[in-house]
Amino acid sequence: MRKSIKRFLSVFAVLALILVSACSGKEASKPSTESNDGGKSGAVTVKVGVISWLTGAGAGYGEAITNGLKLANKEINAEGKVNIELLTEDSAGKQEQALSAAQKLMNSENVSVIIGPTLSTEMKVVGPEADLNGVPIIGTSTTADGIPQIGDYVFRNSIPETLAIPASVQKAVEAFGVKKVAILYGNDDVFTKSGYDTMKKVAEDMGLEILTTETFQKGQADYNAQLTKIKGTNPDLILCSALYNEGAVIMNQARKMGITVPFVGGNGFNSPEVIKIAGDSANGLIVATPWFGGKQDEKVQGFVEKYKAEYGKEPDQFAAQAYDALYILADAIERAGSDDRDAIRDALAETKGFEGILGEMSFDEEGDIVMEPTVLTIKDGSFQLFE
């Protein structure tokens, strides 16, 4: 209903503009096609807002995301088909700051599209605001259940936990003959709670015995109580839904306590920061991801080399997803031929079979990404294919 009303108002506005132009003898205004080269190229110029976690404990996510976006932006603008101006705001991983950033970008900066925010918790408040204002928004790292269902203008190119976790658990069960599991998750965050819901359902659907379920809070430093209970149940596998800071500390403390069984982590573990923080304790972590930098593919290796040359380190999943997201958006803008929010939204919805560094991607009817995940493990201090 909301989309129909927006369409009606858009059509009404266009008819009114044509009528006024006819009466005044002037030509109706056209979408902006001015680019940074003074309009010589004829490329559509579009302002894109970015909301990212750039300060605080999870800034590693935001840094990777903005690096991926900046690299893609440089390449896209150099091609000359579209011209994208990125306007970036820091959310610090907080809902209220993310919402304020979104309102500034939509109302003061008049952006046509928003990329971000970083966390599903933030998207739960930013997504409805963007949808209400008819501004397309693309999550590149928001994997909690229900994100695209927020509204017609909400998309994501990050694979949901409901797709990633079953793939990684299945691989672990097959490799280790798992029968019994323990679950540990952060109960004060939409993303980690959503990961837990998926882990619990997958374990139940696969007939695995859940020995215990333990919880923690964001920023917690001591997990001795939870891990002692888990160790006492003697599980074959630990399912853990956490962001990388807490997840890395949990694995480090678990190994020091003598817990040697593998961990299956949610999407928050998909960062080199886990290895940096946990060291050798990160070995044995299993995750599913759309990105593997070791894949022998020309596009993948080309991106890795360009990213390393630009930033002095290898890209992670979050950088890769952001990079592809901007290319998906640029493709939609080119097809829309305009900086109009509705036109871009409709072009995004029609994205099918897009070939990026993550593989072939499409959006389903709800704006969720359709693609195949890859299961990785950390071995000898690096992410490797889990085979």
Side-chain angles (χ1 to χ4, degrees):
M1 178 64 72
R2 179 167 60 242
K3 186 166 76 173
S4 299
I5 293 171
K6 287 174 180 173
R7 292 287 185 278
F8 173 78
L9 291 175
S10 296
V11 172
F12 181 81
V14 170
L15 290 174
L17 181 59
I18 293 172
L19 181 61
V20 170
S21 297
C23 293
S24 64
K26 296 180 180 178
E27 184 181 356
S29 62
K30 297 178 181 179
S32 169
T33 57
E34 183 181 354
S35 63
N36 287 344
D37 62 3
K40 295 177 183 178
S41 68
V44 179
T45 295
V46 179
K47 293 169 73 173
V48 176
V50 177
I51 305 172
S52 199
W53 187 354
L54 299 174
T55 56
Y61 293 125
E63 180 187 9
I65 290 167
T66 52
N67 283 350
L69 290 174
K70 286 186 288 187
L71 181 57
N73 193 40
K74 180 194 293 187
E75 297 171 1
I76 290 165
N77 288 354
E79 287 177 4
K81 295 178 181 179
V82 298
N83 190 78
I84 294 175
E85 179 186 356
L86 294 178
L87 303 174
T88 304
E89 295 289 330
D90 178 21
S91 71
K94 299 175 181 177
Q95 280 188 326
E96 62 277 10
Q97 191 163 324
L99 182 58
S100 295
Q103 291 167 336
K104 175 185 176 182
L105 290 167
M106 290 187 291
N107 301 322
S108 300
E109 302 293 353
N110 196 33
V111 300
S112 296
V113 188
I114 291 175
I115 292 179
T118 303
L119 298 177
S120 297
T121 305
E122 299 170 309
M123 184 64 94
K124 288 290 185 178
V125 295
V126 173
E129 188 78 2
D131 191 61
L132 183 65
N133 283 274
V135 178
I137 184 167
I138 308 172
T140 70
S141 56
T142 47
T143 58
D145 192 29
I147 294 298
Q149 291 76 22
I150 288 173
D152 295 331
Y153 288 75
V154 183
F155 300 82
R156 67 173 166 197
N157 78 319
S158 48
I159 61 172
E161 297 281 59
T162 51
L163 182 62
I165 290 172
S168 52
V169 173
Q170 181 66 45
K171 282 275 192 178
V173 168
E174 291 172 355
F176 302 112
V178 174
K179 303 293 184 185
K180 305 172 294 180
V181 301
I183 303 179
L184 179 60
Y185 75 99
N187 64 353
D188 60 344
D189 181 87
V190 169
F191 161 69
T192 51
K193 287 169 68 177
S194 177
Y196 159 70
D197 291 337
T198 300
M199 288 173 172
K200 181 174 182 290
K201 184 177 186 304
V202 170
E204 291 172 345
D205 289 348
M206 294 182 67
L208 303 175
E209 182 183 358
I210 301 175
L211 300 171
T212 185
T213 299
E214 303 299 325
T215 65
F216 61 87
Q217 295 184 326
K218 193 183 295 183
Q220 188 170 323
D222 184 358
Y223 302 90
N224 182 69
Q226 292 92 335
L227 291 171
T228 297
K229 289 182 182 178
I230 288 172
K231 184 178 181 181
T233 65
N234 195 31
D236 301 319
L237 181 71
I238 297 173
L239 309 180
C240 185
S241 182
L243 297 175
Y244 70 71
N245 275 296
E246 290 81 8
V249 174
I250 285 169
M251 290 197 70
N252 187 40
Q253 293 183 8
R255 299 312 185 210
K256 288 178 178 177
M257 289 180 61
I259 297 174
T260 59
V261 298
F263 274 73
V264 166
N267 190 57
F269 279 89
N270 285 331
S271 171
E273 294 296 316
V274 172
I275 300 171
K276 186 183 296 185
I277 296 169
D280 291 342
S281 297
N283 290 329
L285 173 67
I286 302 164
V287 292
T289 172
W291 167 252
F292 177 48
K295 186 178 181 181
Q296 294 309 304
D297 176 89
E298 186 177 345
K299 276 189 175 182
V300 169
Q301 291 308 312
F303 169 65
V304 170
E305 291 307 311
K306 288 182 290 187
Y307 191 94
K308 286 168 64 177
E310 191 77 16
Y311 303 112
K313 55 185 173 182
E314 293 198 2
D316 63 9
Q317 170 196 322
F318 299 96
Q321 287 177 158
Y323 180 89
D324 261 358
L326 199 64
Y327 266 100
I328 290 171
L329 176 58
D331 174 69
I333 292 169
E334 185 181 355
R335 286 185 282 110
S338 167
D339 63 355
D340 178 73
R341 292 168 171 178
D342 285 337
I344 294 172
R345 180 265 163 213
D346 290 346
L348 280 170
E350 293 167 359
T351 299
K352 301 295 178 186
F354 182 89
E355 290 286 350
I357 57 173
L358 300 177
E360 183 177 295
M361 293 167 284
S362 302
F363 286 126
D364 66 16
E365 64 279 0
E366 293 183 317
D368 215 346
I369 197 68
V370 178
M371 67 175 299
E372 289 295 321
T374 298
V375 180
L376 304 178
T377 187
I378 295 178
K379 183 179 179 181
D380 299 327
S382 67
F383 282 100
Q384 303 179 23
L385 283 173
F386 183 58
E387 296 174 324

